[in-house]
């Protein structure tokens, strides 16, 4: 039977297809009778497979008719299309097929590149945060003390010397806060505590200077007037120098009576001290046996370990009337508390918590008064040295005392001379305050 359209014969096909030849070309699609090739042409209009159909070019494959159960007049219209006419034989919607534009499977993530980009992003954020924090903190320092006004200064020794002052300034305190903190309402400000901190390569040394120390007021230049005031050999308590002409005269008096060059000055008032303690959530301290009660400072503590808030901490470091050694014992308590405070600030719970770190830094920096040459690096060096000294990595002591005169504590001149020589040469301190 001839399956080809009218006017075509098997001889017209040539030897390319359908004769079982050994040629490499595949058989024609004519044998797939179930294939739908489209709607049949209306009668009389020709088309492949109908009367009057034009012959396809030589060697081409003619359009095949549609069949239903072998019938030539019924269109097979079940929607199936093998894709042979279009060349799309294998599916139409799967991955990599025509429906997705010929795209291949999604490539695996490049984890090395992602990790690299994440690392770079984190580093950029850290650097930006660090730089921003530095300038923010630096802008908060109150550089009010001009050490260039200090005259006749000793030569600079090895290491760095800080004069750390706790003043009884009531600046920024409301009447209610003054009452709660038991500060009183005295005008002006005086020094409530003074310490010398030597930072060197052979161990750091913290020396408390009792406020009642007997010192001589030397010739000095007025910090505001610029006028020179000649020394007359007048002896006063050390805190009186500060009350007379402020930080510059205090530095001048300490240098004159010790022979030690002061490199930096740091001062903090009542309000600032209490705010720092509150910012870190309080400081744990151990109250000695017998407890502590002082109506003047407001201290009222039972013996044993307890956490002090800002108000309580201020009362603790100011108490002296309840102590057997008065001012000398008070300086020991001040050093003890500074150790506890430094360790509390340096804990990961404070440093790694921005909600605690920034309020702590803000409270501290806002309340500090420093010299004009003081930088954040110098301040950080001072802080870590204080932490180390009180943690047992250095020496903590009082200025050696030989006796008293008229209520003033007289320094031991021989011991002070040796101590100053060791500090100037940055040597390990051998002098004790006992």
């Amino acid at each position: 039977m001839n399956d080809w359209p009218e006017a075509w014969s098997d001889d017209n096909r040539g030897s390319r297809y359908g004769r079982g030849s050994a040629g490499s070309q595949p058989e024609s699609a004519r044998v797939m009778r179930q294939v739908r090739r489209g709607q049949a042409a209306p009668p009389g209009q020709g088309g492949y497979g109908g009367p009057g159909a034009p012959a396809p070019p030589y060697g081409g494959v003619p359009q095949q008719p549609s069949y239903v159960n072998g019938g030539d007049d019924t269109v097979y219209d079940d929607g199936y299309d093998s894709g042979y006419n279009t060349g799309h034989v294998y599916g139409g919607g799967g991955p990599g097929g025509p429906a997705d534009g010929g795209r291949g499977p999604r490539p695996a993530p490049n984890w090395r590149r992602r990790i690299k980009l994440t690392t770079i992003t984190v580093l950029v954020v850290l650097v930006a945060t660090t730089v921003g924090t530095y300038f923010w903190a630096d802008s908060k320092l109150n550089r009010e003390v001009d050490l260039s006004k200090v005259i006749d200064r000793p030569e600079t020794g090895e290491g760095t010397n800080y004069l750390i002052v706790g003043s009884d300034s009531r600046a920024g305190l409301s009447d209610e806060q003054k009452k709660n903190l038991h500060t009183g309402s005295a005008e002006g400000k005086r020094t409530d505590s003074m310490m010398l901190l030597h930072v060197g390569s052979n161990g750091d040394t913290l020396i408390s200077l009792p406020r009642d120390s007997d010192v001589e007021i030397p010739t000095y230049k007025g910090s505001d007037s610029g006028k020179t005031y000649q020394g007359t050999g007048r002896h006063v308590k050390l805190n009186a120098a500060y009350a007379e002409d402020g930080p510059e005269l205090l530095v001048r008096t300490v240098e004159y009576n010790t022979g030690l060059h002061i490199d930096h000055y740091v001062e903090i008032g009542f309000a600032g001290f209490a705010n720092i303690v509150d910012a870190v959530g309080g400081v744990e301290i151990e109250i000695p046996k017998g407890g502590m009660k002082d109506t003047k400072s407001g201290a009222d503590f039972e013996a044993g370990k307890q956490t002090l808030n800002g108000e309580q901490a201020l009362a603790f470091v100011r108490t002296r009337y309840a102590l057997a050694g008065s001012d000398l014992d008070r300086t020991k308590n001040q050093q003890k508390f500074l150790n506890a405070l430094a360790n509390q600030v340096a804990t990961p719970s404070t440093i790694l918590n921005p909600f605690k770190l920034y309020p702590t830094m803000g409270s501290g920096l806002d309340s500090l008064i420093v010299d004009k040459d003081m930088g954040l690096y110098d301040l950080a060096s001072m802080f870590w040295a204080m932490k180390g000294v009180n943690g047992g990595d250095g020496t903590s002591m009082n200025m050696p005392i030989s006796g008293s005169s008229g209520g003033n504590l007289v320094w031991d001149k021989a011991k002070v001379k040796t101590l100053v020589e060791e500090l100037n040469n940055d040597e390990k301190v051998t002098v004790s305050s006992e």
Side-chain angles (χ1 to χ4, degrees):
M1 175 180 178
N2 186 350
D3 295 327
W4 288 86
E6 190 176 334
W8 283 79
S9 69
D10 287 348
D11 294 336
N12 292 115
R13 294 179 298 165
S15 60
R16 283 180 78 181
Y17 306 108
R19 290 188 174 182
S21 67
S24 61
Q25 296 293 339
E27 281 289 326
S28 165
R30 71 183 177 82
V31 299
M32 300 185 67
R33 302 172 61 87
Q34 77 278 17
V35 176
R36 177 181 180 276
R37 300 300 183 184
Q39 291 183 339
Q45 291 186 10
Y48 298 140
Y58 179 78
V61 179
Q63 177 73 35
Q64 300 299 303
S66 299
Y67 299 92
V68 177
N69 297 325
D72 292 336
D73 299 328
T74 305
V75 177
Y76 186 86
D77 195 14
D78 65 349
Y80 174 79
D81 185 359
S82 70
Y84 262 77
N85 264 6
T86 62
H88 297 157
V89 180
Y90 299 104
D100 64 0
R103 292 176 298 186
R106 193 171 184 176
N110 188 337
W111 289 109
R112 179 177 296 180
R113 182 171 180 271
R114 290 187 179 185
I115 293 173
K116 182 179 179 181
L117 289 176
T118 301
T119 302
I120 292 174
T121 301
V122 170
L123 289 176
V124 169
V125 171
L126 286 176
V127 170
T129 302
T130 301
V131 172
T133 300
Y134 176 88
F135 284 105
W136 168 78
D138 187 73
S139 67
K140 285 186 168 293
L141 283 178
N142 300 311
R143 297 182 174 91
E144 298 178 6
V145 179
D146 188 358
L147 295 183
S148 67
K149 296 179 180 179
V150 181
I151 62 173
D152 300 333
R153 310 190 67 187
E155 292 184 5
T156 303
E158 300 293 330
T160 304
N161 299 315
Y162 298 84
L163 179 59
I164 305 168
V165 174
S167 77
D168 64 358
S169 171
R170 294 151 179 85
L173 293 177
S174 65
D175 291 339
E176 183 179 357
Q177 287 175 315
K178 291 176 183 178
K179 180 180 178 181
N180 292 337
L181 297 175
H182 298 269
T183 65
S185 300
E187 296 298 326
K189 58 182 181 179
R190 285 153 294 279
T191 53
D192 216 49
S193 62
M194 289 161 284
M195 299 181 186
L196 275 173
L197 174 66
H198 174 81
V199 179
S201 57
N202 286 304
D204 304 323
T205 305
L206 183 63
I207 308 165
S208 288
L209 307 176
R211 57 180 285 176
D212 293 339
S213 297
D214 186 83
V215 294
E216 180 182 338
I217 298 294
T219 299
Y220 70 96
K221 180 182 291 186
S223 57
D224 292 327
S225 65
K227 179 181 177 181
T228 300
Y229 297 89
Q230 294 296 326
T232 60
R234 177 167 51 103
H235 280 246
V236 297
K237 292 181 179 180
L238 182 57
N239 66 337
Y242 182 95
E244 188 171 326
D245 198 46
E248 288 84 359
L249 178 56
L250 179 62
V251 170
R252 168 72 174 129
T253 301
V254 170
E255 288 187 341
Y256 178 81
N257 285 269
T258 63
L260 194 66
H261 182 93
I262 302 301
D263 299 292
H264 292 294
Y265 177 91
V266 181
E267 177 187 325
I268 186 169
F270 283 163
F273 181 83
N275 289 340
I276 292 174
V277 174
D278 285 334
V280 298
V283 175
E284 186 180 73
I285 199 77
E286 184 166 0
I287 305 299
K289 185 178 180 180
M292 182 184 296
K293 189 169 184 177
D294 183 358
T295 56
K296 291 186 178 295
S297 68
D300 188 5
F301 308 119
E302 298 292 334
K305 283 188 176 181
Q306 49 195 286
T307 299
L308 307 184
N309 60 24
E311 177 184 331
Q312 295 168 326
L314 187 59
F316 177 79
V317 298
R318 295 182 63 219
T319 295
R320 62 171 176 163
Y321 294 104
L323 306 175
S326 188
D327 204 31
L328 292 177
D329 283 349
R330 179 170 72 163
T331 58
K332 293 177 182 179
N333 280 344
Q334 290 170 348
Q335 292 182 356
K336 178 181 178 180
F337 188 86
L338 286 176
N339 173 36
L341 176 60
N343 280 284
Q344 177 69 23
V345 172
T347 57
S349 63
T350 299
I351 295 177
L352 300 180
N353 183 355
F355 298 103
K356 184 178 285 188
L357 176 63
Y358 283 97
T360 301
M361 291 179 63
S363 297
L365 296 172
D366 275 341
S367 57
L368 289 180
I369 296 175
V370 299
D371 64 90
K372 293 184 180 298
D373 294 326
M374 177 72 112
L376 286 178
Y377 174 83
D378 302 307
L379 195 61
S381 177
M382 181 197 79
F383 174 81
W384 288 109
M386 290 182 67
K387 179 179 181 296
V389 164
N390 290 292
D393 296 332
T395 302
S396 180
M397 59 184 292
N398 279 326
M399 185 64 84
I401 303 296
S402 62
S404 63
S405 175
N408 295 353
L409 298 174
V410 179
W411 295 349
D412 188 319
K413 292 183 179 180
K415 286 187 176 182
V416 170
K417 182 179 179 181
T418 302
L419 174 62
V420 170
E421 287 177 353
E422 291 174 340
L423 294 178
N424 276 331
N425 295 324
D426 198 19
E427 299 172 351
K428 183 68 177 179
V429 170
T430 62
V431 176
S432 69
S433 55
E434 302 301 330

